[in-house]
Amino acid sequence: MQFSSKLIEEAVEAFSSLPGIGRKTALRLVLHMVQQPGETVDAFASALTKMRSGIQECEQCHNLSDDKLCTVCKDDRRNPQLVCVVENIRDVMAIEETGQYRGRYHVLGGVISPIEGIGPAELNIDSLVGRIDERGIKEVIMAISPTIEGDTTIFYITKQLAALDVKVSTIARGVSFGGELEYADGLTLGRSIVARIPYKVD
Amino acid sequence: MQFSSKLIEEAVEAFSSLPGIGRKTALRLVLHMVQQPGETVDAFASALTKMRSGIQECEQCHNLSDDKLCTVCKDDRRNPQLVCVVENIRDVMAIEETGQYRGRYHVLGGVISPIEGIGPAELNIDSLVGRIDERGIKEVIMAISPTIEGDTTIFYITKQLAALDVKVSTIARGVSFGGELEYADGLTLGRSIVARIPYKVD
């Protein structure tokens, strides 16, 4: 791509360094910005720099937060004895979105993956164990992706928690609500038959 | 989408104001930025604000430029008597990319479109006519999209130029190189037969 302007070229380079944004999309975004008032672009840039400089990890659950404690950890109405363990902040958002969970979280920052060089030491596992020990947490829900790495992580954490008086559960796995049975993958469908649930009439 | 952080929320809002970027993509970009060093994010933001404050229209051809004259207009090796009229800067880049054109440009800023409220006065047509008159330009190539609006624009400009001693041409239209004939649209294929070219053996 040939640019008649060095400024445009640098802005395109900046955008195309973002994941999933190629040079053509980057150019489209930059040309959009050229047409915006200067203040709009300044506000855009300042939202990013402010975010990056102000954002921190919640010191209790490692969720992203504006303060030392995140909004979930600060909320006294939430059950402090129930902790949901997730991989990242996107999972926190997905669970919050459901409106079905009223406990706290613990963000691991990933799952154990020897191929990517991520061992237990790279994740927030020690702080989880310490937190459960110190704060008398009664139940830990593992909301980790059902992959080999995820299962390994759950297994590792459960071992670490064995000495403590805490109940460990995982989120239910089975066919999705609203999904057609014939399109469910074989593994999920097979396991959902093995792990069938007694049917209750309310 | 529920955010545990106001800073993240504002950054997501900023990204999702861009064309073609929804809130999920915006969140992915913001979380990517959280993982980058602060300096990277600052450099990103500064590339945008610098671009927006420094960019200007070339006073001769209305191309985007870092200076009063763009790199094409400043380049003495390019033919100053040949002007290619295009809709926008993306078209300039596409033509520059081919490496086949060594004249100057004139960026209209769009095409005449009564539906969108764009008349000749909203486009850089007067400056084109003035430029051709003053600078003794010999040929104008219309590289405008072959749409109704584009054709209207070409027609209008040609009328404006009628009194001047300048040759007007349009870029060749026909089936694409490397395209399968059966997939060419009927209008293009039909016109390409009517406007057939004598075959020459070099």
Side-chain angles (χ1 to χ4, degrees):
Chain A
M1 229 184 258
Q2 299 197 13
F3 295 92
S4 61
S5 153
K6 192 83 193 148
L7 293 167
I8 295 275
E9 183 169 1
E10 282 167 7
V12 168
E13 295 292 347
F15 266 117
S16 52
S17 72
L18 300 178
I21 296 198
R23 288 172 71 84
K24 286 218 166 173
T25 305
L27 177 62
R28 193 161 49 80
L29 297 176
V30 170
L31 293 182
H32 168 82
M33 289 209 149
V34 169
Q35 283 157 3
Q36 302 302 305
E39 304 84 62
T40 308
V41 177
D42 290 346
F44 178 92
S46 123
L48 297 184
T49 47
K50 258 200 219 153
M51 183 277 293
R52 186 60 192 78
S53 63
I55 203 74
Q56 46 190 308
E57 265 191 13
C58 169
E59 59 181 20
Q60 184 164 284
C61 76
H62 305 281
N63 192 358
L64 290 179
S65 171
D66 298 350
D67 303 308
K68 283 193 170 183
L69 282 182
C70 74
T71 48
V72 175
C73 288
K74 269 193 285 198
D75 188 346
D76 290 335
R77 291 163 304 171
R78 299 185 76 123
N79 186 349
Q81 300 189 313
L82 184 61
V83 168
C84 180
V85 177
V86 295
E87 284 174 52
N88 55 48
I89 177 192
R90 270 195 294 263
D91 297 335
V92 172
M93 292 177 63
I95 295 172
E96 285 298 282
E97 205 77 12
T98 69
Q100 299 286 316
Y101 181 66
R102 298 300 298 163
R104 303 278 167 88
Y105 291 95
H106 194 88
V107 180
L108 291 178
V111 284
I112 295 172
S113 169
I115 294 175
E116 293 179 42
I118 303 173
E122 273 72 49
L123 304 174
N124 302 316
I125 293 179
D126 286 349
S127 61
L128 172 66
V129 177
R131 190 178 161 194
I132 289 167
D133 197 14
E134 285 161 26
R135 302 196 175 243
I137 284 160
K138 297 233 171 98
E139 183 174 354
V140 170
I141 303 173
M142 300 286 185
I144 311 273
S145 299
T147 58
I148 293 178
E149 289 85 1
D151 283 344
T152 308
T153 310
I154 294 176
F155 181 76
Y156 180 87
I157 295 176
T158 309
K159 279 228 153 186
Q160 300 294 306
L161 298 179
L164 302 174
D165 181 26
V166 63
K167 194 172 138 194
V168 177
S169 57
T170 69
I171 52 171
R173 288 164 189 188
V175 290
S176 304
F177 285 95
E180 296 277 345
L181 215 64
E182 61 177 313
Y183 298 124
D185 69 290
L187 188 63
T188 303
L189 189 54
R191 294 249 181 116
S192 78
I193 290 172
V194 174
R196 62 195 175 278
I197 312 161
Y199 185 70
K200 277 184 242 166
V201 180
D202 292 321
Chain B
M1 228 182 258
Q2 299 197 12
F3 296 92
S4 61
S5 152
K6 192 84 193 144
L7 293 167
I8 295 274
E9 184 169 0
E10 281 166 7
V12 168
E13 295 291 346
F15 266 117
S16 51
S17 73
L18 299 177
I21 295 198
R23 288 171 71 84
K24 285 217 167 175
T25 306
L27 177 62
R28 192 161 50 80
L29 297 176
V30 170
L31 293 182
H32 169 83
M33 290 209 149
V34 169
Q35 283 157 4
Q36 302 302 307
E39 303 84 62
T40 309
V41 177
D42 290 346
F44 179 93
S46 123
L48 297 185
T49 48
K50 259 199 219 152
M51 182 277 292
R52 187 59 191 80
S53 63
I55 204 76
Q56 47 190 307
E57 264 191 14
C58 169
E59 58 181 19
Q60 183 164 285
C61 76
H62 305 281
N63 191 0
L64 289 179
S65 170
D66 299 349
D67 302 309
K68 284 193 169 185
L69 282 182
C70 74
T71 48
V72 175
C73 287
K74 269 194 285 198
D75 188 346
D76 290 335
R77 291 164 305 171
R78 299 186 75 123
N79 186 349
Q81 300 189 313
L82 183 61
V83 168
C84 180
V85 177
V86 295
E87 285 174 51
N88 55 49
I89 178 193
R90 269 194 295 261
D91 297 335
V92 173
M93 292 176 65
I95 294 172
E96 283 299 283
E97 205 77 11
T98 68
Q100 299 285 317
Y101 181 67
R102 298 299 298 162
R104 303 279 167 88
Y105 291 95
H106 194 88
V107 180
L108 291 179
V111 283
I112 296 172
S113 170
I115 293 174
E116 293 179 41
I118 302 172
E122 273 73 48
L123 304 174
N124 302 317
I125 293 179
D126 285 350
S127 62
L128 172 67
V129 177
R131 189 178 162 195
I132 289 168
D133 198 15
E134 286 160 25
R135 302 196 176 242
I137 284 160
K138 298 232 172 100
E139 183 175 355
V140 170
I141 303 172
M142 300 286 183
I144 311 274
S145 301
T147 58
I148 293 178
E149 289 84 2
D151 284 345
T152 309
T153 310
I154 294 176
F155 182 76
Y156 180 87
I157 295 176
T158 310
K159 280 228 152 185
Q160 301 294 307
L161 299 178
L164 302 172
D165 181 26
V166 63
K167 194 174 140 194
V168 177
S169 56
T170 69
I171 52 171
R173 288 164 190 188
V175 291
S176 303
F177 285 95
E180 296 278 345
L181 215 64
E182 61 178 313
Y183 297 123
D185 69 291
L187 188 63
T188 303
L189 189 55
R191 294 249 181 114
S192 79
I193 291 172
V194 174
R196 62 195 175 277
I197 312 162
Y199 185 70
K200 279 183 241 165
V201 179
D202 293 322

